[in-house]
Amino acid sequence: MLKNNLLASAISLIGGLSLGLVQTYEADLIRSLLAGCLAFLIPAGFTLLASGAMPEKKAVPTATIGLAATGIALLGYLVCGFALEFGGIGLVWNLPGLEGLIWEWSPLDVTWGTGWGALGLKGFFFQKGTDTPLAYALFFSQLPLVITASLIPLLTLRKRTRPFVLVLGAFLTAAVIYPVIGNWVWGGGWLANLGLNLNLGHGFVDFAGSGMVHLLGGVAALAGILAFGLRSEKVEGPAQMPPVHLPLLAILGSLLLPVGWLGLVFSNPLYASDHSLPVSLTALNIVLAAGAAVLAAMLYAWFTTSEANVLMGARGLAAGLVAISAACPFVPPWAALVIGGVAGFLLPLGIYFVEHLLH
């Protein structure tokens, strides 16, 4: 009798623990999805920021590009982007739901060791075995980043080439370029494993995508500028602050960005159950870097032109967010202030270099 009671109690305990783990797992996914919804404010904010710098008749086409980037990026990432980026993520993350994503191609022989992967090869259209809630959540969390990486060259090159070329370039960015580099950094590829394979610290670390998203988008835009030619006209006379035609749009876009960034850093379902992540410090660093960058950019404009420039301040906020993204959970608050301040100070100098020296 006693043995049966003990057995029944043990079964009940195990069942209760299992139910609790399932409920916790589902709650973590729900939190990740809600944060991912906020992250969509990032491409929206960049679109509004770019539209605010345009005359009214050009603001609508600029906003339309933002909508187009959303559809193009989603399609490209679904077709093959997710598989190329996370097709081997199950080899490095032992989480329920990733068991089917275990095919990673490496150009090096296995005698070099593990962790030299370069390309995922599983998960195309979520074929059977990869269609799990965690895989879906991982796909969803990447969409704001993919859209942003595709949006940057679209906004930059919109007047330099034909729409078909823009659409094709955005599709290739979402379907191939972003996923391949994402595999190296976040999908278990060789860059992230340089610490394990070559004893180079923790390997390449980019927590929220400073390089993965914004540097990638910027390099793609620069490549397009070099391919399609520089501006034919040159900016004459003394350097001026960039004009702002629709200041309220620029301000609104810049204010949406910090909210989207907070959603972005907490949307990755791979970290949803990692309680060692310093959540409060991460959020604080993001806000501090953004604030320091705004002050640095606007003070620079004030000292050089005797007035604070709205667009420079809005762009400075974005620059601070981009600069802190890679290291936001790993640096103390004073370092976040320094990072944001440096980014905000360098922003107007970078604009001068691009506009007046590179034309």
Side-chain angles (χ1 to χ4, degrees):
M1 185 69 175
L2 179 60
K3 184 184 294 185
N4 291 337
N5 289 336
L6 290 175
L7 181 59
S9 300
I11 293 175
S12 299
L13 179 61
I14 294 173
L17 290 174
S18 300
L19 181 59
L21 290 174
V22 170
Q23 290 175 341
T24 302
Y25 174 73
E26 292 179 347
D28 290 338
L29 285 184
I30 291 172
R31 284 194 293 268
S32 172
L33 292 173
L34 291 176
C37 292
L38 290 178
F40 279 94
L41 293 177
I42 294 177
F46 277 122
T47 300
L48 290 174
L49 186 55
S51 300
M54 299 290 168
E56 188 172 352
K57 64 180 181 179
K58 295 182 180 180
V60 173
T62 301
T64 303
I65 289 175
L67 289 176
T70 300
I72 296 168
L74 193 153
L75 178 62
Y77 198 63
L78 175 64
V79 169
C80 60
F82 178 78
L84 295 179
E85 184 172 6
F86 292 113
I89 189 68
L91 298 173
V92 294
W93 285 88
N94 185 23
L95 292 174
L98 300 180
E99 299 89 346
L101 298 169
I102 52 172
W103 192 358
E104 179 82 6
W105 176 78
S106 172
L108 300 178
D109 189 84
V110 292
T111 55
W112 282 72
T114 58
W116 291 99
L119 206 63
L121 295 174
K122 199 72 181 292
F124 295 97
F125 285 101
F126 291 105
Q127 71 259 38
K128 188 175 181 180
T130 64
D131 51 347
T132 64
L134 183 56
Y136 292 148
L138 186 58
F139 177 93
F140 184 79
S141 71
Q142 289 292 304
L143 288 180
L145 302 176
V146 179
I147 294 170
T148 303
S150 303
L151 178 63
I152 294 172
L154 274 178
L155 292 173
T156 305
L157 304 173
R158 63 190 181 280
K159 294 189 293 185
R160 297 177 184 268
T161 185
R162 297 178 178 179
F164 171 77
V165 177
L166 290 176
V167 171
L168 180 61
F171 182 84
L172 290 177
T173 299
V176 180
I177 300 173
Y178 175 92
V180 170
I181 299 178
N183 179 271
W184 301 349
V185 178
W186 291 334
W190 64 277
L191 270 179
N193 284 293
L194 289 178
L196 176 65
N197 292 324
L198 298 181
N199 295 319
L200 296 178
H202 293 283
F204 186 87
V205 177
D206 187 358
F207 182 77
S210 287
M212 259 299 301
V213 182
H214 307 284
L215 181 60
L216 172 61
V219 170
L222 177 61
I225 291 173
L226 297 176
F228 300 120
L230 304 178
R231 287 200 313 261
S232 58
E233 74 276 6
K234 294 185 179 181
V235 180
E236 302 294 343
Q240 301 292 329
M241 288 291 167
V244 54
H245 299 276
L246 300 170
L248 291 181
L249 279 185
I251 293 173
L252 176 61
S254 66
L255 292 178
L256 291 179
L257 288 176
V259 181
W261 239 272
L262 290 173
L264 169 66
V265 298
F266 302 125
S267 65
N268 193 328
L270 299 180
Y271 300 108
S273 59
D274 185 2
H275 301 293
S276 64
L277 183 68
V279 175
S280 301
L281 176 64
T282 303
L284 177 62
N285 284 344
I286 289 172
V287 175
L288 288 176
V294 169
L295 288 177
M298 295 192 76
L299 286 174
Y300 181 94
W302 183 55
F303 278 118
T304 54
T305 65
S306 299
E307 62 180 16
N309 185 274
V310 171
L311 186 59
M312 191 61 69
R315 289 176 171 176
L317 186 147
L321 291 171
V322 171
I324 195 61
S325 293
C328 51
F330 312 119
V331 298
W334 66 264
L337 281 172
V338 172
I339 292 171
V342 171
F345 178 75
L346 291 179
L347 174 72
L349 302 179
I351 292 176
Y352 174 82
F353 178 76
V354 170
E355 293 287 335
H356 292 269
L357 298 182
L358 297 182
H359 308 296

